Amino acid sequence: MYALADCNNFFVSCERVFNPSLNGKPVVVLSGNDGCVIARSNEAKALGIPMGCPAFQVKNYTNPANVIMLSGRHIVYRDLSNRIMRILGEAALNLEVYSVDEAFFTLPYEDDEQNHELLSSLVKKIQQYVGVPVSIGFAPTRTLAKIASHVAKKDIKNIDRVKGLTDTYEINQVLNRIKIDDVWGIGRRLNAKLLTIGIDTAGKFIMLPQSYLQRIGNINLVRTQQELKGIDCISINSVNIAHKSIMNSRTFGHVISKKQDIADAIISFAQSCAQQLRQEGSAAQVVTVYVRGDHFRQDLPFYSNSCSMRLPSHTASAMDLAKHALLAFNNIYRDNFAYRKAGVMVTDIKSNDQLQLDVFNGENDVRQAKLMTAIDKINNRYCKKQIVLAPTLTRGEWAPQQNHIAPQSKTLHFYTGMNPRYIGSYRPIVQREGDDDTVQQKTPAT
């Protein structure tokens, strides 16, 4: 039996944790540079504000004075997400983190009542320790569990926010009500194809022949149908996923022409890539830097370019990656141009147990690894970046444009009462094909 825990309006709920006065009010959270809406409270949804709505168009749906717009604070959201996953890891089996606000896990009991009591206690515990509302659904397959969590979230009569789909008759009744675009694995393009032939609900979808599904989609579409029928056929790797590349990039708040300001951003991106490599126990040998102008500005000349550098050996050192990233940046930087976006990507990634030491530089690699380990321990202990590369101390000119940032909370790293040790060895899993609403920056190995 599988369960899916899904945080309700996660980004908005996180903001409400630190500012309870937002409860009951229409709130939207904006993307980078305050571009568009990426999270909405139920009150904002009731006003008709759609997901992805440009910030300047919010006023077209309602009186802007009635809607509270907040700039996204993803560090805060990730912090609260980790706390929630740790609570789930205490009681769940085989926890599989699907996204920042969703996680699959296996239930320990065969009896539905015992599972319901366990999940209900988890919902209450997360609400008490973290303050974020969570809905949980459980069913024989992951796809049905996702539908069950959707039902638990939408059903206002469901007080404990837990829903189980285990009875065949009830499953068929729910599938006849669920829209086809709400099914996990059905993206926009597949939804459009199915609507043209009159398939608008999950109940109609499970009646289609498999040969037709393979013709309009692929084997994953057939597996989705089998999952809706209660047949467990989606397997997830039981080992950590090896990534072919890791990218860190940002669109600046405004165009930048000064070379040093862009260089500071490149160093920060390289440092972030190095930190993620160390977290995953891997190292990279190729670093790629790209810069791009603003193609919306017709009054400015447009320029875009990229450059790759191969390091002498695989490394996860922030200093080594930043050094070669700057060399690549110097090769592509051009004067008299305005830049709006830049990024750093590391490739040729290998896990630490696959690395071969450089005969001529082995001693330096060992020292760098020890230094990075010491820095990570200090930063992890004090819950923020105490030791960083000097150019990354402030964002300066390359900071994103955030005109609706919430006041910084003094209780950001509050004590939750949980066991401080890292509970549950959970891992991120790859988004399924067809989930085209999520943009990924990491490519899973084939």
Side-chain angles (χ1 to χ4, degrees), residues 249-252 254-256 262 266 289-296 301-306 329 332 337-343:
S249 62
R250 184 177 299 279
T251 300
F252 308 139
H254 56 85
V255 293
I256 300 176
I262 306 175
I266 296 297
V289 175
Y290 78 90
V291 293
R292 192 177 71 188
D294 191 344
H295 57 274
F296 293 106
F302 180 79
Y303 173 72
S304 177
N305 205 347
S306 64
F329 170 66
I332 59 177
F337 283 101
Y339 299 89
R340 187 64 190 274
K341 187 174 183 179

Side-chain angles (χ1 to χ4, degrees), residues 212-427:
Y212 178 77
L213 294 179
Q214 287 183 321
R215 188 164 68 250
I216 66 171
N218 51 34
I219 189 61
N220 287 328
L221 194 59
V222 176
R223 290 172 179 166
T224 298
Q225 185 191 57
Q226 295 299 306
E227 287 258 322
L228 292 175
K229 293 180 179 180
I231 303 173
D232 183 20
C233 58
I234 295 180
S235 61
I236 297 177
N237 296 331
S238 59
V239 296
N240 291 335
I241 297 170
H243 296 106
K244 289 184 177 179
S245 64
I246 296 176
M247 176 181 287
N248 196 284
S249 62
R250 184 177 299 279
T251 300
F252 308 139
H254 56 85
V255 293
I256 300 176
S257 300
K258 191 175 179 181
K259 182 179 181 180
Q260 187 58 50
D261 292 333
I262 306 175
D264 291 347
I266 296 297
I267 294 174
S268 178
F269 301 152
Q271 179 178 254
S272 298
C273 290
Q275 182 181 11
Q276 189 164 352
L277 284 171
R278 296 194 299 273
Q279 290 175 348
E280 299 180 357
S282 58
Q285 192 174 13
V286 177
V287 57
T288 301
V289 175
Y290 78 90
V291 293
R292 192 177 71 188
D294 191 344
H295 57 274
F296 293 106
R297 292 283 299 272
Q298 302 296 329
D299 58 324
L300 297 175
F302 180 79
Y303 173 72
S304 177
N305 205 347
S306 64
C307 179
S308 297
M309 299 285 292
R310 178 170 288 274
L311 284 73
S313 60
H314 285 79
T315 182
S317 168
M319 291 176 289
D320 287 343
L321 290 177
K323 174 183 176 181
H324 287 81
L326 284 178
L327 292 176
F329 170 66
N330 290 330
N331 290 337
I332 59 177
Y333 176 81
R334 298 291 183 270
D335 292 323
N336 303 321
F337 283 101
Y339 299 89
R340 187 64 190 274
K341 187 174 183 179
V344 174
M345 180 174 63
V346 293
T347 53
D348 192 5
I349 298 175
K350 292 183 179 180
S351 61
N352 290 339
D353 56 2
Q354 296 176 332
L355 297 181
Q356 182 176 358
L357 292 178
D358 188 346
V359 176
F360 303 101
N361 202 34
E363 184 178 351
N364 180 63
D365 290 343
V366 173
R367 287 200 302 267
Q368 287 283 349
K370 290 182 178 179
L371 175 60
M372 291 295 107
T373 301
I375 291 175
D376 289 338
K377 287 182 178 180
I378 294 174
N379 290 336
N380 291 335
R381 179 172 182 177
Y382 294 100
C383 303
K384 54 185 177 180
K385 296 180 179 179
Q386 294 285 347
I387 301 179
V388 295
L389 299 179
T392 66
L393 289 173
T394 58
R395 290 183 176 179
E397 294 296 324
W398 58 274
Q401 179 181 349
Q402 293 183 313
N403 298 324
H404 305 280
I405 194 70
Q408 182 69 31
S409 173
K410 296 182 180 180
T411 60
L412 174 60
H413 300 286
F414 55 87
Y415 176 64
T416 62
M418 296 183 297
N419 189 332
R421 69 179 178 86
Y422 193 85
I423 301 171
S425 58
Y426 62 85
R427 58 194 178 276

Side-chain angles (χ1 to χ4, degrees), residues 31-102:
S31 64
N33 294 305
D34 294 343
C36 60
V37 174
I38 58 175
R40 306 161 294 164
S41 66
N42 291 332
E43 295 79 8
K45 295 177 182 178
L47 295 175
I49 302 175
M51 182 68 77
C53 171
F56 68 90
Q57 289 186 0
V58 171
K59 61 183 179 181
N60 297 337
Y61 295 91
T62 181
N63 185 353
N66 297 332
V67 180
I68 301 174
M69 294 191 292
L70 298 174
S71 301
R73 298 190 294 172
H74 295 280
I75 295 179
V76 175
Y77 309 151
R78 175 60 65 181
D79 180 76
L80 294 181
S81 174
N82 290 338
R83 297 171 187 271
I84 294 172
M85 299 309 166
R86 290 175 185 175
I87 294 176
L88 292 175
E90 288 182 319
L93 302 176
N94 303 319
L95 186 65
E96 302 158 347
V97 180
Y98 182 66
S99 65
V100 70
D101 63 338
E102 291 179 289

Side-chain angles (χ1 to χ4, degrees), residues 161-178:
R161 298 198 297 270
V162 176
K163 177 64 177 178
L165 286 180
T166 57
D167 180 71
T168 303
Y169 177 77
E170 185 180 11
I171 291 175
N172 292 331
Q173 292 293 107
V174 171
L175 292 182
N176 289 330
R177 300 194 305 266
I178 294 295

